[in-house]
Amino acid sequence: MEAEGSQLKLYSYWRSSCSCRVRIALNLKGIKYEYVAVNLAKGEQSNSEFLKLNPLGFVPVLVDGEVVVSDSFAILMYLEDKYPQHPLLPSDLAKRALNYQVANIVSSSIQPFQNLVVLKFVEGKIDPQTWARHHIERGFAALEKLLKDHAGKYATGDEVFMADLFVAPQVDGAIRRFKVDMTQFPLLLRLHEAYSELPSIQDAMPESQPDAPPSSSS
Ligand SMILES: N[C@@H](CCC(=O)N[C@@H](CS)C(=O)NCC(=O)O)C(=O)O
């Protein structure tokens, strides 16, 4: 698969919520890309070749010719600047700030606690699932309050914006992987249901990826 006029490569892992954010953006913007699987379960993120792309050893990484960008937020902003179709940010400044806020709550105050490297670190001290659920639920409680007066069909209104790119994979993973009881978070659960009807989001979800194991859709 080749992108128009360039050869975008996305280093990704099927279950990575951070990679999923970028996959959704690429789908929304209609950008084709080459999917390069990095098997986090096998430790491929620590291979010397991959560390040349991202010394932190995390996916996603986007390679666009000579340009190498890691970190989903930076990648999304790069894509937004280069491919303005289907804007990821609203023009209204307050709504735009809300999108940044949601994105950063997920990427700084929820996802890092459930990262593989962290789950391995806490193992033996506390049950990693309990640890992850605690932090996810704390973040979800804040998101419910924050979005209460702003959500429409989607997180910040009736259009899909950046906030949704962070919320959709975070909620999906909370349900499937960490067995969070979403009845505590009715707004997020409603958004999850709305996302399930959007092909651009569903095609980016873990079980639809080329490196997903066959059992992942169950
Ligand atoms: N802030 C970074 C975080 C990247 C990150 O944590 N990626 C995870 C997958 S979602 C990863 O590669 N983890 C590998 C590990 O923990 O060893 C981003 O948004 O891209």
Side-chain angles (χ1 to χ4, degrees):
M1 257 193 317
E2 277 197 4
E4 302 145 21
S6 72
Q7 299 183 335
L8 287 187
K9 278 189 193 176
L10 181 68
Y11 289 75
S12 170
Y13 179 58
W14 67 281
R15 205 170 59 176
S16 154
S17 59
C18 311
S19 305
C20 186
R21 300 165 193 160
V22 177
R23 298 191 300 245
I24 297 172
L26 290 163
N27 291 347
L28 285 170
K29 288 179 177 291
I31 304 166
K32 291 206 167 89
Y33 60 99
E34 182 187 340
Y35 188 106
V36 185
V38 180
N39 191 326
L40 300 187
K42 288 191 179 160
E44 289 177 2
Q45 67 275 36
S46 303
N47 289 354
S48 55
E49 279 309 297
F50 184 72
L51 289 175
K52 284 183 198 158
L53 296 175
N54 184 2
L56 258 184
F58 289 160
V59 290
V61 175
L62 183 83
V63 177
D64 181 12
E66 299 292 302
V67 181
V68 179
V69 192
S70 59
D71 197 293
S72 60
F73 189 81
I75 297 171
L76 294 176
M77 296 309 283
Y78 176 81
L79 292 173
E80 184 72 344
D81 288 341
K82 183 158 181 183
Y83 304 96
Q85 66 269 30
H86 193 113
L88 302 177
L89 290 164
S91 47
D92 177 80
L93 281 189
K95 216 176 189 189
R96 214 173 163 92
L98 181 65
N99 274 270
Y100 290 137
Q101 202 179 341
V102 171
N104 281 292
I105 288 174
V106 173
S107 72
S108 306
S109 306
I110 303 180
Q111 184 273 333
F113 292 103
Q114 67 178 57
N115 212 355
L116 202 57
V117 72
V118 172
L119 295 182
K120 280 189 193 151
F121 187 79
V122 300
E123 205 169 11
K125 304 177 183 82
I126 182 172
D127 169 43
Q129 289 281 120
T130 307
W131 158 274
R133 252 196 317 273
H134 169 78
H135 290 288
I136 293 168
E137 289 176 358
R138 187 170 175 277
F140 280 5
L143 287 177
E144 284 271 322
K145 285 189 190 138
L146 180 68
L147 295 176
K148 181 171 57 72
D149 298 328
H150 303 282
K153 187 163 184 198
Y154 304 113
T156 61
D158 290 331
E159 285 172 84
V160 171
F161 284 123
M162 185 182 270
D164 300 291
L165 276 52
F166 284 76
V167 169
Q170 184 58 56
V171 171
D172 186 75
I175 294 171
R176 288 176 190 267
R177 193 171 159 207
F178 297 105
K179 314 292 177 223
V180 169
D181 171 13
M182 290 301 295
T183 56
Q184 307 168 81
F185 310 111
L187 192 155
L188 295 177
L189 186 56
R190 178 172 69 67
L191 295 178
H192 176 68
E193 283 157 11
Y195 299 144
S196 72
E197 289 172 14
L198 295 181
S200 51
I201 293 189
Q202 287 315 300
D203 293 350
M205 283 298 166
E207 61 282 3
S208 305
Q209 304 317 301
D211 55 335
S215 56
S216 63
S217 53
S218 58

